[in-house]
Each structure stands twice: as structure tokens, then as C-alpha cells.
Amino acid sequence: MIHLLLIIIYLAFIGLGLPDSLLGSAWPSMYGELNIPVSYAGIISMTIALGTIFSSLQSDRLARRFDTGKITAVSTAMMAVSMLGFSVSHSFFQLWLWAIPYGLGAGSVDAALNNYVALHYPSRHMSWLHCMWGIGTLVGPNVMGYVLTRGGSWHRGYLSMALIQAILTVILLFSLPLWKKAADSHEKRMKSETKAAALSLRSIFAIPGAKEVMLTFFCYCALE
């Protein structure tokens, strides 16, 4: 059961990576059709990034109110709906609006699954988890490229991605009983521990080494 759940987690992280590099591969076809400057891709990207940051900062509170399986399923569904929204958009403003739920959903999946794997699995699985994200970022542009080189539009490329995300959402919904069994098992092992309160942003910054880790990760993401 634990191994099956781990496979589900890996699939969810592949799903997280799938649309991450999609905008860059589709933008050469998008900006001309929409009659907007090339630089507007940065606005879409930063909107997604800000949504990701916001939802990541709320992940601790969400995880204490809902289990990780539900957060992952709902967030993946948000990403699927956002991809569908991208596929039917015919203006920059529409793209910008759909970028908001996409960023919120991506941030929730990222933070929730990283936290879950760090707490409940050996450290080697964290490396494999991010390897799965890398697989997603490789597959996404290839899906878009396949559609474009066969005469399809970027709309169809995003629609294809929406369908893939929808399938992942269904898989995650069917996997909810696995998350419940795993949660019950972990709760039995940790029932003697005192449940800590959710940390505020100020409390997080006060953790020794937290500022240095955030600065390092900022530089890493800039390079990425």
C-alpha cells in the first residue's frame, strides 16, 4: 500500500512539472496570434510564480486542516482547469486570469508533497520526487511540440495538457483511501507527540538557518 501511494505521489509530481515549461515552448506561437509583445510572457510567468509563493506559504495551515491527498487532488484539478482555460483563451487578459489558479494549484501540490515525503519516507525519495518533476518538464514541451509540428495550434497543445491533468486528477481522487490508511498508520505511530501549532511567517524566518536556506534557494531558482 505504501509503495502504491509512493507511485501516486511520483505521478502527481510529474503532473506538476508537465505545464511548468509549456509556456516557453508555446509562446513563439502565442504572442503573434494574440498581437502582444514577446516580453508579456514574463507577466504570465511572474503571476504564476506569485500564486505559487502565496499558496506555498499557506501550505502548513492547509495541511493541518485537510489531508495531503485531498490537497493534491484539488490542486491538480485547479491546474487542469487552468490548462483548459489557457486552451480557450484569445486575449492576454484571459491568459493572465487563468495563470492565477494555475500558480495557486502548483504551489499547493509542490509544498504539500515535499512536506509529506520529507516526513514519511527515507531521504532518497526526495531526490526521486524531484526527478519526477524533471520528467514532467521534459514531456510538457514535447507534447506541445508534437501538436505544433503536426499542424495543430497552441490551443490544442494546452487542451492536451488539460486532458492529461484531468486524468491525473481522477487517479488522485481514486487514491484518497490510500492516503487515509497511511494517515491512520502515521497517527498511531506519532500519537504520543504533541501537535505543534502552525508557524507564522515571522516564526519561520526565526528558525536558525532559515534565511540562508531561502537565499540559497532564491539563487538556485534564478539560475533554473
Side-chain angles (χ1 to χ4, degrees), residues 31-200:
Y31 79 89
E33 181 181 322
L34 298 174
N35 195 28
I36 54 178
V38 179
S39 60
Y40 277 32
I43 299 175
I44 301 295
S45 295
M46 288 308 300
T47 300
I48 295 170
L50 289 172
T52 300
I53 292 168
F54 178 80
S55 58
S56 295
L57 292 174
Q58 302 304 314
S59 62
D60 190 32
R61 288 180 172 82
L62 287 173
R64 292 171 189 277
R65 187 169 182 179
F66 308 101
D67 63 72
T68 305
K70 290 178 182 177
I71 294 172
T72 305
V74 171
S75 299
T76 303
M78 288 174 64
M79 293 169 64
V81 172
S82 298
M83 293 299 99
L84 181 61
F86 270 56
S87 73
V88 297
S89 295
H90 293 282
S91 71
F92 172 78
F93 182 71
Q94 291 174 330
L95 288 175
W96 178 77
L97 284 178
W98 288 113
I100 297 172
Y102 167 36
L104 292 173
S108 293
V109 172
D110 195 358
L113 292 183
N114 270 290
N115 180 67
Y116 189 87
V117 171
L119 290 176
H120 302 307
Y121 290 97
S123 58
R124 66 178 181 273
H125 291 294
M126 186 64 75
S127 297
W128 282 108
L129 185 69
H130 287 267
C131 177
M132 296 302 111
W133 177 84
I135 291 174
T137 61
L138 288 172
V139 172
N142 279 281
V143 171
M144 180 63 74
Y146 181 85
V147 172
L148 293 175
T149 55
R150 278 156 181 75
S153 69
W154 60 270
H155 297 279
R156 185 172 296 179
Y158 272 106
L159 179 60
S160 301
M161 193 56 58
L163 291 174
I164 295 173
Q165 294 285 351
I167 292 170
L168 284 172
T169 300
V170 172
I171 293 172
L172 288 165
L173 288 173
F174 276 106
S175 74
L176 288 180
L178 293 177
W179 294 91
K180 180 67 167 60
K181 289 179 182 179
D184 291 342
S185 175
H186 293 310
E187 188 175 346
K188 288 177 182 178
R189 292 203 302 265
M190 302 175 68
K191 60 183 179 181
S192 61
E193 295 185 8
T194 303
K195 192 172 182 180
L199 295 177
S200 65

